[in-house]
Amino acid sequence: MGHPSDNALMARAIRLAERGRYRTRPNPAVGCVLVRDGRVIGEGITQAAGGNHAEVEALAAAGDARGATAYVSLEPCSHHGSTGPCTEALVAAGIQRVVVAVEDPNPVGAGGIARLREAGVEVDCGLLSAAAEAVNPGFFKRMRQGLPFVRLKLAASLDGRTAMASGESQWITGPDARADVQRLRGRSGAILTGVATVLADDPALTVRDPGLDIPNQPLRVVLDSRLRTPTDAKLLGQPGHTLVLHAGESDPAALVGAGAEVLALPGGGKGIDPERVMKLLAQRSVNEVLVECGPRLAGSVLDAGLVDELVVYMAPTLMGSDARPLVALPIERMAAQRRLQLLDLRRVGQDVRWTLAPKVE
């Protein structure tokens, strides 16, 4: 049976989960709040992979939690992994009631609700479930569909251009927008680009904001059919791991020697199939992919229906008709245009950030 304060306390647990989204990957970010006699006695956030889950952190903060209610943004786990089952910790602590926002879609971690009820703990489930899922969109999508959540980041001028005809593109947007992109990178398990971007911009594709406190750098992924990535490319010399995917007809020895993992992923004569790429990354436990690329690859992932969210930073500048377009997506008729749903619109420094999703008709 619900209590008047349930919504507010679950919202508090979800806000805690949001604070952990940069450091828990590939595990979901979870928040837990312990309450007894109307007073919060402990809070916890899931730690980096291999560390304590939110429930254990909250129990440690509370000390004595007998008779308390636990508000958890995701169903407590019931299996032995790198840590013990959270259900057993809650039962052993004498928790009387557990309120869960959403059931765990991972079959390995599921079953916690049933275990708690077997132990005589009162359990309510489904409170603020949509808000809780929104904290970990990639985790839920990967578990349900075998694909990561794909976020396409683009930077454009007011006239919708992303680079000059020569390929020069640094910088269209200002420092505030570029700092905002660091947060998109920090929550991503992988950053995906094409070899054209590597050749034109020589990006590092790393998270450089120390305030995000990430445990490790996202996987850097380059789609490079003919292995044209230079062995001295900046992204090969960064902390973390670089994966170069090619069409299977080139010698990978030089790039392997430069520190890259090189994997053939032939696409049946049409280059590298972006859907196969996303499935491969999901198999590697990547929940969220940030695509930072040129117009050709942007158009390819959009055309394949793989993009869940577009984040477009638009600068108050004009680059002219000879500059390169936002996406290479040939459309000849108005009836074929790709409608997008506006999710958020805000100013970031001198630029404007559009957050959009493909519109489902």
Side-chain angles (χ1 to χ4, degrees), residues 154-161 172-173 177 312-317 326 348 350-354:
L154 298 165
S157 61
L158 190 61
D159 50 352
R161 303 293 168 166
I172 298 172
T173 54
V312 183
Y313 297 89
M314 186 163 285
T317 187
L326 192 67
V348 181
Q350 292 299 307
D351 305 311
V352 175
R353 185 186 73 196
W354 299 69

Side-chain angles (χ1 to χ4, degrees), residues 48-73:
N52 287 338
H53 289 188
E55 300 91 326
V56 174
E57 287 284 300
L59 289 170
D64 179 6
R66 285 173 294 179
T69 295
Y71 295 84
V72 192
S73 61

Side-chain angles (χ1 to χ4, degrees), residues 14 25 27 30 71 153 230 316 323:
I14 292 171
R25 52 183 164 81
N27 296 333
V30 181
Y71 295 84
K153 188 278 292 185

Side-chain angles (χ1 to χ4, degrees), residues 56-282:
V56 174
E57 287 284 300
L59 289 170
D64 179 6
R66 285 173 294 179
T69 295
Y71 295 84
V72 192
S73 61
L74 181 69
E75 178 181 9
C77 67
S78 61
H79 71 290
H80 287 271
S82 54
T83 62
C86 291
T87 50
E88 301 307 319
L90 292 168
V91 171
I95 296 296
Q96 180 177 332
R97 177 174 177 247
V98 177
V99 183
V100 176
V102 62
E103 293 183 25
D104 192 340
N106 185 353
V108 175
I113 291 174
R115 173 67 190 100
L116 289 169
R117 285 174 173 160
E118 288 172 3
V121 178
E122 178 187 349
V123 181
D124 295 320
C125 183
L127 184 63
L128 303 185
S129 59
E133 284 199 27
V135 178
N136 299 290
F139 173 74
F140 282 92
K141 185 181 178 186
R142 180 167 67 90
M143 289 300 149
R144 291 168 177 166
Q145 301 179 35
L147 289 168
F149 184 93
V150 178
R151 186 175 285 109
L152 174 61
K153 188 278 292 185
L154 298 165
S157 61
L158 190 61
D159 50 352
R161 303 293 168 166
T162 61
M164 304 309 293
S166 65
E168 180 186 1
S169 64
Q170 296 178 338
W171 298 100
I172 298 172
T173 54
D176 293 299
R178 296 198 296 274
D180 196 61
V181 172
Q182 292 293 304
R183 290 185 279 275
L184 297 182
R185 289 182 178 182
R187 65 176 296 168
S188 303
I191 303 172
L192 174 70
T193 195
V195 67
T197 297
V198 174
L199 294 172
D201 298 338
D202 195 20
L205 297 184
T206 54
V207 181
R208 297 183 292 276
D209 183 349
L212 295 180
D213 189 29
I214 61 168
N216 47 62
Q217 288 288 337
L219 173 68
R220 297 177 291 275
V221 184
V222 182
L223 303 193
D224 183 2
S225 295
R226 292 177 286 146
L227 291 185
R228 294 184 293 147
T229 299
T231 55
D232 62 350
K234 192 179 295 181
L235 53 76
L236 294 177
Q238 305 301 316
H241 192 67
T242 300
L243 171 64
V244 180
L245 299 175
H246 68 112
E249 299 176 358
S250 304
D251 184 358
L255 280 174
V256 171
E261 178 188 359
V262 183
L263 182 65
L265 201 68
K270 297 181 180 180
I272 300 172
D273 180 357
E275 184 172 4
R276 288 190 65 192
V277 173
M278 298 307 174
K279 287 181 178 179
L280 170 69
L281 295 179

